[in-house]
Amino acid sequence: MSIHLQRPLQATLASSTSDSIESRIGAAPLQLDPYPHLILPDVLPAFTLADVRSYWPDESAFSSYGDGHGRTPGDPGRFGLYISGSTAAERCQVLDEDSRDYWRSFVAGPVKNIVTQAYRRYLPALRARFGGNLPRLELETYGALVICYDRVAINVHADHPANLFNCLIYLNNGMAEDGSGTTVYAPKAQGFTHDGLSHLAREDFDAVETIPFRDNQLFSLLRTGNSFHGVDPLPVATPTQRITMNIPTRITDRCLAELYGEDVVTLFQRKISGHCPWLMPGLNAWRDVDWDDTTPASEEEMQPILNSFRYGEERL
């Protein structure tokens, strides 16, 4: 793969983690209807976005992601490549050394800064959800590059209950912006919440808004009891037309076992709903939060998110 960077790699990515991203996410409107979420256009600096496109992997590097296993690139649906998380170092072996170095640095720079600032914005709700356990959390932030073939269709759902929040970065290579992004849903049954261990029927929900699929736009959502979202069936002309970076942050299984017991981990792995009475009160605690609370994050509160970025066994 040819290299297009015009400046040293570390200098480029260090610039991306400057006060610009921090201040812009800090100033972005936090929308609370129907649940807390952030939308920020032009989240990456222009030169960083150009580098991302330059280093974007060949389709052969991607494998099944989210739409069923046993598929190969070219089959309908989404395919991904993990660039952050405990499996990233192994999965990125399909890339050449320069590309591996780039994506590892990209996660340690811009991605880490974006996710850390989103964590700060959601901190009042996370304090309410976890209470005194917040500094004890062991978190892992997964980052996946995602492409689609033929179509994308993601049923209405709330994310896995171990998730804290998710960050999506849209990369648009020619799709119509309107109607092509993530749709935010509200349940028709007032007060309905869900543990997120199964998908739900579209007819039971109303679409509140569909986020425009705008190039270089961040869409981030807090995991709550009602953080329902998805993508209505959408044709995709080429696998490089609709590209996303999916970056969820979740509690590790080891931490879940320490906080709630081994049985909880087993239930989550088997996607057995309705057996976690401690879960929903925490996911709904955001409703009683004072979002104007300006209590600064303590060092102890920030450590879980700062320690959540991994490249295999390496902390980033």
Side-chain angles (χ1 to χ4, degrees), residues 28-259:
L30 181 62
Q31 302 186 41
L32 300 178
D33 183 24
Y35 51 80
H37 60 281
L38 293 163
I39 302 171
L40 180 63
D42 300 320
V43 63
L44 297 174
F47 61 80
T48 303
L49 182 62
D51 292 344
V52 165
R53 295 190 184 282
S54 173
Y55 276 96
W56 195 265
D58 183 79
E59 295 170 28
S60 61
F62 291 78
S63 57
S64 298
Y65 178 89
D67 294 323
H69 299 290
R71 298 177 301 118
T72 58
D75 292 338
R78 291 172 294 164
F79 292 80
L81 172 65
Y82 283 95
I83 57 171
S84 174
S86 55
T87 66
E90 178 181 355
R91 292 173 185 256
C92 283
Q93 287 300 310
V94 297
L95 304 178
D96 60 66
E97 184 176 359
D98 287 329
S99 296
R100 292 197 301 270
D101 288 344
Y102 174 77
W103 290 113
R104 184 169 59 244
S105 297
F106 178 75
V107 171
V111 169
K112 187 172 185 178
N113 201 22
I114 289 167
V115 171
T116 300
Q117 299 314 315
Y119 176 90
R120 288 183 185 273
R121 294 300 306 273
Y122 297 136
L123 195 54
L126 298 175
R127 286 168 174 156
R129 177 179 175 182
F130 295 106
N133 284 328
L134 182 59
R136 295 177 53 198
L137 296 183
E138 181 184 57
L139 304 177
E140 186 160 0
T141 294
Y142 294 87
L145 312 179
V146 181
I147 60 175
C148 301
Y149 289 86
D150 187 51
R151 61 177 172 81
V152 58
I154 305 173
N155 293 333
V156 179
H157 68 287
D159 287 328
H160 191 283
N163 278 30
L164 272 64
F165 60 94
N166 198 354
C167 292
L168 301 172
I169 299 175
Y170 298 151
L171 297 179
N172 188 330
N173 289 331
M175 294 196 75
E177 291 182 358
D178 293 341
S180 299
T182 307
T183 297
V184 172
Y185 299 101
K188 293 179 179 179
Q190 187 173 5
F192 176 76
T193 60
H194 196 256
D195 57 22
L197 294 175
S198 60
H199 282 194
L200 301 164
R202 173 66 178 85
E203 58 267 24
D204 293 333
F205 294 83
D206 292 319
V208 176
E209 64 174 326
T210 297
I211 313 302
F213 196 74
R214 192 164 292 140
D215 192 39
N216 195 24
Q217 179 161 264
L218 170 70
F219 171 54
S220 175
L221 64 157
L222 179 70
R223 176 59 170 103
T224 69
N226 69 323
S227 54
F228 302 112
H229 59 286
V231 178
D232 286 336
L234 179 72
V236 180
T238 68
T240 57
Q241 187 180 39
R242 191 185 194 278
I243 293 173
T244 58
M245 298 184 194
N246 296 3
I247 314 167
T249 296
R250 59 159 287 170
I251 310 170
T252 65
D253 286 351
R254 179 170 59 187
C255 183
L256 285 172
E258 290 177 356
L259 292 178

